[in-house]
Amino acid sequence: MPKQKTNSGAKKRFSFTGTGKIKRHHAYHSHILTKKTKKQKRNLLGSTLVDRDNLKQVRDLLRLR
C-alpha cells in the first residue's frame, strides 16, 4: 500500500509546540489594514493554538491519524 501524502498547503501553515499541540497564525492580517484599528491589528499578530473543533480536520490534512 502506498504512503499517504501530507497536504502541502497545510504543512506550510501549521507547526507544533514542544508538547505536540498544533499552532496556527491568525488570519486577516495581510491586507486592507487601514480600516482595522491598532488594537485589532496588534491582536492578530503572533500565533495561537488550533481550536479543538478544527483539530480533527487539521490532523487529517497533516496525516496524523
Side-chain angles (χ1 to χ4, degrees), residues 5-65:
K5 288 191 176 179
T6 302
N7 183 284
S8 60
K11 68 184 172 187
K12 298 169 192 171
R13 287 172 170 82
F14 299 105
S15 59
F16 295 94
T17 63
T19 56
K21 296 176 183 172
I22 304 174
K23 289 193 304 187
R24 67 170 180 88
H25 291 287
H26 288 281
Y28 307 111
H29 195 262
S30 57
H31 58 90
I32 314 176
L33 298 173
T34 53
K35 60 177 76 171
K36 295 179 178 118
T37 64
K38 290 177 184 175
K39 181 180 181 181
Q40 203 174 359
K41 290 185 275 193
R42 185 175 63 245
N43 288 334
L44 290 172
L45 284 172
S47 59
T48 185
L49 296 176
V50 172
D51 194 58
R52 65 180 181 87
D53 296 332
N54 301 324
L55 201 56
K56 182 179 180 293
Q57 294 169 318
V58 173
R59 289 177 67 85
D60 282 343
L61 289 171
L62 295 172
R63 302 288 182 208
L64 295 174
R65 301 183 52 176

